[in-house]
Short mmCIF file of all heavy atoms in Angstrom, two decimals:
data_model
loop_
_atom_site.label_atom_id
_atom_site.label_comp_id
_atom_site.label_asym_id
_atom_site.label_seq_id
_atom_site.Cartn_x
_atom_site.Cartn_y
_atom_site.Cartn_z
N GLY A 1 -14.19 3.67 24.96
CA GLY A 1 -14.49 2.26 25.10
C GLY A 1 -13.62 1.34 24.27
O GLY A 1 -13.83 0.12 24.28
N TYR A 2 -12.65 1.92 23.56
CA TYR A 2 -11.77 1.13 22.71
C TYR A 2 -10.30 1.46 23.00
O TYR A 2 -9.98 2.52 23.53
CB TYR A 2 -12.01 1.44 21.22
CG TYR A 2 -13.35 1.01 20.67
CD1 TYR A 2 -14.48 1.82 20.81
CD2 TYR A 2 -13.47 -0.19 19.97
CE1 TYR A 2 -15.70 1.44 20.27
CE2 TYR A 2 -14.69 -0.58 19.44
CZ TYR A 2 -15.80 0.24 19.59
OH TYR A 2 -17.01 -0.14 19.06
N THR A 3 -9.44 0.55 22.60
CA THR A 3 -8.01 0.81 22.58
C THR A 3 -7.49 0.57 21.18
O THR A 3 -8.00 -0.31 20.46
CB THR A 3 -7.27 -0.08 23.60
OG1 THR A 3 -5.90 0.29 23.65
CG2 THR A 3 -7.37 -1.55 23.21
N VAL A 4 -6.50 1.34 20.76
CA VAL A 4 -5.90 1.16 19.44
C VAL A 4 -5.02 -0.08 19.47
O VAL A 4 -4.11 -0.20 20.29
CB VAL A 4 -5.07 2.40 19.03
CG1 VAL A 4 -4.38 2.16 17.69
CG2 VAL A 4 -5.94 3.64 18.97
N THR A 5 -5.28 -1.01 18.58
CA THR A 5 -4.50 -2.25 18.54
C THR A 5 -3.58 -2.33 17.32
O THR A 5 -2.69 -3.18 17.28
CB THR A 5 -5.44 -3.47 18.54
OG1 THR A 5 -6.42 -3.33 17.51
CG2 THR A 5 -6.14 -3.59 19.90
N TRP A 6 -3.77 -1.45 16.36
CA TRP A 6 -2.90 -1.38 15.18
C TRP A 6 -3.17 -0.04 14.50
O TRP A 6 -4.32 0.40 14.44
CB TRP A 6 -3.20 -2.53 14.21
CG TRP A 6 -2.31 -2.60 13.00
CD1 TRP A 6 -1.19 -3.35 12.85
CD2 TRP A 6 -2.50 -1.93 11.74
NE1 TRP A 6 -0.65 -3.18 11.60
CE2 TRP A 6 -1.45 -2.30 10.90
CE3 TRP A 6 -3.46 -1.02 11.27
CZ2 TRP A 6 -1.31 -1.83 9.60
CZ3 TRP A 6 -3.32 -0.53 9.98
CH2 TRP A 6 -2.26 -0.94 9.16
N SER A 7 -2.13 0.60 13.96
CA SER A 7 -2.36 1.89 13.30
C SER A 7 -1.16 2.28 12.46
O SER A 7 -0.05 1.75 12.63
CB SER A 7 -2.65 2.99 14.32
OG SER A 7 -1.49 3.26 15.11
N ASP A 8 -1.38 3.23 11.58
CA ASP A 8 -0.32 3.90 10.83
C ASP A 8 -0.76 5.35 10.60
O ASP A 8 -1.84 5.59 10.07
CB ASP A 8 -0.05 3.21 9.49
CG ASP A 8 1.29 3.61 8.88
OD1 ASP A 8 1.85 4.66 9.28
OD2 ASP A 8 1.79 2.88 8.01
N ASP A 9 0.09 6.31 11.05
CA ASP A 9 -0.23 7.73 10.86
C ASP A 9 0.58 8.34 9.73
O ASP A 9 0.51 9.54 9.51
CB ASP A 9 -0.03 8.51 12.15
CG ASP A 9 1.39 8.39 12.69
OD1 ASP A 9 2.28 7.85 11.98
OD2 ASP A 9 1.61 8.82 13.84
N PHE A 10 1.36 7.56 9.01
CA PHE A 10 2.07 7.97 7.81
C PHE A 10 2.99 9.17 8.03
O PHE A 10 3.16 10.01 7.13
CB PHE A 10 1.08 8.23 6.67
CG PHE A 10 0.23 7.03 6.36
CD1 PHE A 10 -1.14 7.06 6.57
CD2 PHE A 10 0.80 5.85 5.90
CE1 PHE A 10 -1.93 5.94 6.31
CE2 PHE A 10 0.02 4.73 5.64
CZ PHE A 10 -1.35 4.78 5.83
N GLU A 11 3.56 9.25 9.20
CA GLU A 11 4.55 10.28 9.46
C GLU A 11 5.90 9.84 8.90
O GLU A 11 6.27 8.67 8.95
CB GLU A 11 4.66 10.55 10.96
CG GLU A 11 3.41 11.17 11.56
CD GLU A 11 3.62 11.61 12.99
OE1 GLU A 11 4.78 11.65 13.43
OE2 GLU A 11 2.63 11.93 13.66
N GLY A 12 6.64 10.81 8.35
CA GLY A 12 7.94 10.52 7.78
C GLY A 12 8.27 11.55 6.72
O GLY A 12 7.45 12.39 6.35
N PRO A 13 9.49 11.51 6.21
CA PRO A 13 9.92 12.51 5.24
C PRO A 13 9.23 12.35 3.89
O PRO A 13 8.84 11.25 3.50
CB PRO A 13 11.43 12.26 5.12
CG PRO A 13 11.62 10.84 5.53
CD PRO A 13 10.58 10.58 6.58
N GLN A 14 9.11 13.48 3.20
CA GLN A 14 8.49 13.49 1.88
C GLN A 14 9.21 12.52 0.94
O GLN A 14 10.43 12.47 0.88
CB GLN A 14 8.57 14.89 1.29
CG GLN A 14 8.02 15.01 -0.12
CD GLN A 14 8.24 16.39 -0.70
OE1 GLN A 14 8.20 17.37 0.02
NE2 GLN A 14 8.48 16.46 -1.99
N GLY A 15 8.41 11.73 0.22
CA GLY A 15 8.96 10.81 -0.76
C GLY A 15 9.27 9.44 -0.24
O GLY A 15 9.49 8.51 -1.04
N GLN A 16 9.26 9.25 1.07
CA GLN A 16 9.54 7.94 1.64
C GLN A 16 8.40 6.99 1.36
O GLN A 16 7.23 7.38 1.34
CB GLN A 16 9.77 8.06 3.14
CG GLN A 16 10.08 6.75 3.85
CD GLN A 16 10.44 6.99 5.31
OE1 GLN A 16 11.48 7.56 5.62
NE2 GLN A 16 9.55 6.57 6.20
N GLY A 17 8.71 5.72 1.17
CA GLY A 17 7.67 4.73 0.95
C GLY A 17 6.95 4.38 2.24
O GLY A 17 7.32 4.81 3.34
N VAL A 18 5.92 3.57 2.11
CA VAL A 18 5.16 3.13 3.29
C VAL A 18 6.01 2.21 4.16
O VAL A 18 7.02 1.65 3.70
CB VAL A 18 3.85 2.42 2.90
CG1 VAL A 18 2.91 3.37 2.19
CG2 VAL A 18 4.12 1.19 2.05
N ASP A 19 5.59 2.05 5.40
CA ASP A 19 6.27 1.20 6.35
C ASP A 19 6.02 -0.26 5.96
O ASP A 19 4.92 -0.79 6.15
CB ASP A 19 5.74 1.48 7.75
CG ASP A 19 6.44 0.69 8.85
OD1 ASP A 19 7.15 -0.27 8.52
OD2 ASP A 19 6.24 1.05 10.02
N THR A 20 7.04 -0.92 5.43
CA THR A 20 6.86 -2.28 4.94
C THR A 20 6.83 -3.32 6.06
O THR A 20 6.65 -4.51 5.79
CB THR A 20 7.94 -2.65 3.91
OG1 THR A 20 9.23 -2.40 4.47
CG2 THR A 20 7.76 -1.83 2.64
N SER A 21 6.99 -2.88 7.31
CA SER A 21 6.73 -3.79 8.41
C SER A 21 5.23 -3.89 8.68
O SER A 21 4.77 -4.83 9.34
CB SER A 21 7.45 -3.33 9.69
OG SER A 21 6.84 -2.16 10.23
N LYS A 22 4.46 -2.94 8.14
CA LYS A 22 3.00 -2.92 8.32
C LYS A 22 2.23 -3.23 7.04
O LYS A 22 1.09 -3.70 7.11
CB LYS A 22 2.56 -1.55 8.84
CG LYS A 22 3.09 -1.20 10.22
CD LYS A 22 2.57 0.15 10.69
CE LYS A 22 3.05 0.46 12.11
NZ LYS A 22 2.53 1.76 12.59
N TRP A 23 2.83 -2.94 5.89
CA TRP A 23 2.10 -3.01 4.63
C TRP A 23 2.83 -3.86 3.59
O TRP A 23 4.06 -3.77 3.47
CB TRP A 23 1.89 -1.63 4.04
CG TRP A 23 1.12 -0.68 4.88
CD1 TRP A 23 1.64 0.31 5.68
CD2 TRP A 23 -0.30 -0.60 5.01
NE1 TRP A 23 0.62 0.99 6.31
CE2 TRP A 23 -0.59 0.47 5.92
CE3 TRP A 23 -1.37 -1.30 4.45
CZ2 TRP A 23 -1.89 0.82 6.26
CZ3 TRP A 23 -2.66 -0.95 4.80
CH2 TRP A 23 -2.91 0.10 5.69
N ASN A 24 2.07 -4.62 2.83
CA ASN A 24 2.54 -5.19 1.58
C ASN A 24 2.17 -4.23 0.46
O ASN A 24 1.10 -3.61 0.48
CB ASN A 24 1.87 -6.54 1.31
CG ASN A 24 2.28 -7.61 2.31
OD1 ASN A 24 3.45 -7.72 2.65
ND2 ASN A 24 1.31 -8.39 2.77
N ILE A 25 3.05 -4.09 -0.52
CA ILE A 25 2.81 -3.20 -1.66
C ILE A 25 2.44 -4.07 -2.86
O ILE A 25 3.23 -4.91 -3.29
CB ILE A 25 4.04 -2.34 -1.95
CG1 ILE A 25 4.43 -1.53 -0.70
CG2 ILE A 25 3.77 -1.41 -3.13
CD1 ILE A 25 5.76 -0.81 -0.83
N ALA A 26 1.24 -3.88 -3.38
CA ALA A 26 0.75 -4.72 -4.47
C ALA A 26 1.54 -4.48 -5.74
O ALA A 26 2.07 -3.38 -5.98
CB ALA A 26 -0.74 -4.45 -4.71
N GLY A 27 1.61 -5.50 -6.58
CA GLY A 27 2.35 -5.42 -7.82
C GLY A 27 1.46 -5.37 -9.04
O GLY A 27 0.22 -5.30 -8.94
N PRO A 28 2.05 -5.41 -10.24
CA PRO A 28 1.32 -5.17 -11.49
C PRO A 28 0.15 -6.10 -11.75
O PRO A 28 -0.81 -5.71 -12.41
CB PRO A 28 2.41 -5.35 -12.55
CG PRO A 28 3.68 -5.02 -11.85
CD PRO A 28 3.51 -5.53 -10.46
N GLU A 29 0.20 -7.33 -11.25
CA GLU A 29 -0.86 -8.29 -11.57
C GLU A 29 -2.06 -8.18 -10.64
O GLU A 29 -3.12 -8.74 -10.94
CB GLU A 29 -0.30 -9.71 -11.55
CG GLU A 29 0.77 -9.96 -12.61
CD GLU A 29 0.29 -9.56 -14.00
OE1 GLU A 29 -0.81 -9.99 -14.40
OE2 GLU A 29 1.02 -8.80 -14.68
N ASP A 30 -1.92 -7.51 -9.51
CA ASP A 30 -3.04 -7.37 -8.58
C ASP A 30 -4.13 -6.50 -9.19
O ASP A 30 -3.85 -5.47 -9.81
CB ASP A 30 -2.57 -6.78 -7.26
CG ASP A 30 -1.68 -7.73 -6.50
OD1 ASP A 30 -2.17 -8.78 -6.09
OD2 ASP A 30 -0.48 -7.43 -6.34
N GLY A 31 -5.39 -6.90 -9.00
CA GLY A 31 -6.51 -6.15 -9.56
C GLY A 31 -6.94 -6.59 -10.93
O GLY A 31 -7.94 -6.10 -11.46
N LYS A 32 -6.21 -7.52 -11.53
CA LYS A 32 -6.56 -7.94 -12.88
C LYS A 32 -7.88 -8.70 -12.92
O LYS A 32 -8.51 -8.82 -13.98
CB LYS A 32 -5.44 -8.81 -13.46
CG LYS A 32 -4.11 -8.08 -13.64
CD LYS A 32 -4.25 -6.87 -14.54
CE LYS A 32 -2.91 -6.20 -14.77
NZ LYS A 32 -3.04 -4.96 -15.58
N GLN A 33 -8.34 -9.22 -11.75
CA GLN A 33 -9.61 -9.94 -11.72
C GLN A 33 -10.75 -9.05 -12.16
O GLN A 33 -11.76 -9.51 -12.68
CB GLN A 33 -9.90 -10.46 -10.30
CG GLN A 33 -8.80 -11.32 -9.71
CD GLN A 33 -7.84 -10.51 -8.86
OE1 GLN A 33 -7.53 -9.36 -9.18
NE2 GLN A 33 -7.35 -11.11 -7.78
N ASN A 34 -10.63 -7.75 -11.96
CA ASN A 34 -11.69 -6.80 -12.32
C ASN A 34 -11.47 -6.16 -13.68
O ASN A 34 -12.23 -5.29 -14.07
CB ASN A 34 -11.77 -5.68 -11.27
CG ASN A 34 -12.15 -6.20 -9.91
OD1 ASN A 34 -13.04 -7.04 -9.79
ND2 ASN A 34 -11.48 -5.72 -8.88
N GLY A 35 -10.43 -6.58 -14.38
CA GLY A 35 -10.14 -5.95 -15.66
C GLY A 35 -9.62 -4.54 -15.54
O GLY A 35 -9.80 -3.73 -16.44
N GLU A 36 -8.99 -4.25 -14.41
CA GLU A 36 -8.47 -2.89 -14.20
C GLU A 36 -7.36 -2.56 -15.19
O GLU A 36 -6.62 -3.44 -15.63
CB GLU A 36 -7.97 -2.75 -12.75
CG GLU A 36 -9.07 -2.93 -11.73
CD GLU A 36 -8.56 -3.09 -10.30
OE1 GLU A 36 -7.41 -2.67 -10.03
OE2 GLU A 36 -9.30 -3.63 -9.46
N TRP A 37 -7.24 -1.28 -15.51
CA TRP A 37 -6.28 -0.84 -16.51
C TRP A 37 -4.89 -0.60 -15.94
O TRP A 37 -3.90 -0.72 -16.64
CB TRP A 37 -6.77 0.46 -17.15
CG TRP A 37 -7.87 0.29 -18.14
CD1 TRP A 37 -8.79 -0.73 -18.20
CD2 TRP A 37 -8.20 1.18 -19.21
NE1 TRP A 37 -9.66 -0.53 -19.23
CE2 TRP A 37 -9.33 0.64 -19.86
CE3 TRP A 37 -7.67 2.38 -19.66
CZ2 TRP A 37 -9.91 1.26 -20.97
CZ3 TRP A 37 -8.25 3.01 -20.75
CH2 TRP A 37 -9.37 2.45 -21.40
N GLN A 38 -4.83 -0.19 -14.68
CA GLN A 38 -3.54 0.24 -14.13
C GLN A 38 -2.62 -0.94 -13.86
O GLN A 38 -3.06 -2.08 -13.69
CB GLN A 38 -3.72 1.04 -12.85
CG GLN A 38 -3.88 0.21 -11.58
CD GLN A 38 -5.18 -0.57 -11.50
OE1 GLN A 38 -6.20 -0.08 -11.95
NE2 GLN A 38 -5.14 -1.80 -10.96
N ARG A 39 -1.33 -0.63 -13.77
CA ARG A 39 -0.37 -1.55 -13.17
C ARG A 39 -0.02 -0.97 -11.80
O ARG A 39 0.41 0.18 -11.71
CB ARG A 39 0.89 -1.68 -14.02
CG ARG A 39 0.66 -2.31 -15.39
CD ARG A 39 1.97 -2.47 -16.13
NE ARG A 39 2.80 -3.52 -15.53
CZ ARG A 39 4.11 -3.66 -15.78
NH1 ARG A 39 4.73 -2.80 -16.58
NH2 ARG A 39 4.79 -4.64 -15.21
N TYR A 40 -0.23 -1.75 -10.74
CA TYR A 40 0.16 -1.28 -9.43
C TYR A 40 1.68 -1.32 -9.32
O TYR A 40 2.33 -2.31 -9.65
CB TYR A 40 -0.48 -2.14 -8.33
CG TYR A 40 -1.95 -1.87 -8.15
CD1 TYR A 40 -2.89 -2.90 -8.23
CD2 TYR A 40 -2.42 -0.59 -7.89
CE1 TYR A 40 -4.24 -2.66 -8.06
CE2 TYR A 40 -3.77 -0.33 -7.73
CZ TYR A 40 -4.68 -1.37 -7.82
OH TYR A 40 -6.02 -1.12 -7.66
N ASN A 41 2.23 -0.20 -8.85
CA ASN A 41 3.67 0.01 -8.84
C ASN A 41 4.28 -0.46 -7.53
O ASN A 41 4.04 0.13 -6.48
CB ASN A 41 3.94 1.51 -9.07
CG ASN A 41 5.41 1.86 -9.03
OD1 ASN A 41 6.26 1.04 -8.71
ND2 ASN A 41 5.72 3.11 -9.35
N ASN A 42 5.10 -1.52 -7.59
CA ASN A 42 5.84 -1.97 -6.42
C ASN A 42 7.35 -1.94 -6.67
O ASN A 42 8.12 -2.53 -5.92
CB ASN A 42 5.40 -3.38 -5.99
CG ASN A 42 5.71 -4.44 -7.03
OD1 ASN A 42 6.11 -4.13 -8.16
ND2 ASN A 42 5.51 -5.70 -6.67
N TRP A 43 7.75 -1.22 -7.72
CA TRP A 43 9.18 -1.17 -8.05
C TRP A 43 9.85 0.13 -7.61
O TRP A 43 11.07 0.20 -7.52
CB TRP A 43 9.41 -1.40 -9.54
CG TRP A 43 8.67 -0.46 -10.45
CD1 TRP A 43 9.08 0.77 -10.89
CD2 TRP A 43 7.38 -0.67 -11.03
NE1 TRP A 43 8.13 1.35 -11.71
CE2 TRP A 43 7.08 0.47 -11.82
CE3 TRP A 43 6.45 -1.72 -10.97
CZ2 TRP A 43 5.89 0.60 -12.53
CZ3 TRP A 43 5.29 -1.59 -11.69
CH2 TRP A 43 5.00 -0.45 -12.45
N ASP A 44 9.07 1.17 -7.30
CA ASP A 44 9.62 2.39 -6.71
C ASP A 44 8.49 3.12 -5.99
O ASP A 44 7.39 2.59 -5.85
CB ASP A 44 10.32 3.29 -7.75
CG ASP A 44 9.38 3.79 -8.85
OD1 ASP A 44 8.16 3.94 -8.60
OD2 ASP A 44 9.86 4.06 -9.97
#
């Protein structure tokens, strides 16, 4: 009863980054609203 209108199956070679035509990669300041400890890595 449904059709797929958007998807990502994460196929690709080992070590490759995500498809940046589909995804934004969060940076170090994202998540700070919750007092999170990590820095989100968008540099590699």
Side-chain angles (χ1 to χ4, degrees):
Y2 292 85
T3 186
V4 176
T5 52
W6 183 95
S7 67
D8 197 341
D9 57 10
F10 302 115
E11 294 189 12
Q14 177 186 326
Q16 180 174 292
V18 295
D19 183 345
T20 53
S21 71
K22 296 182 177 181
W23 300 99
N24 293 317
I25 303 171
E29 297 307 309
D30 292 295
K32 296 302 183 184
Q33 305 94 324
N34 297 317
E36 297 168 21
W37 284 25
Q38 83 292 323
R39 295 183 71 196
Y40 286 125
N41 178 353
N42 64 351
W43 56 87
D44 62 28

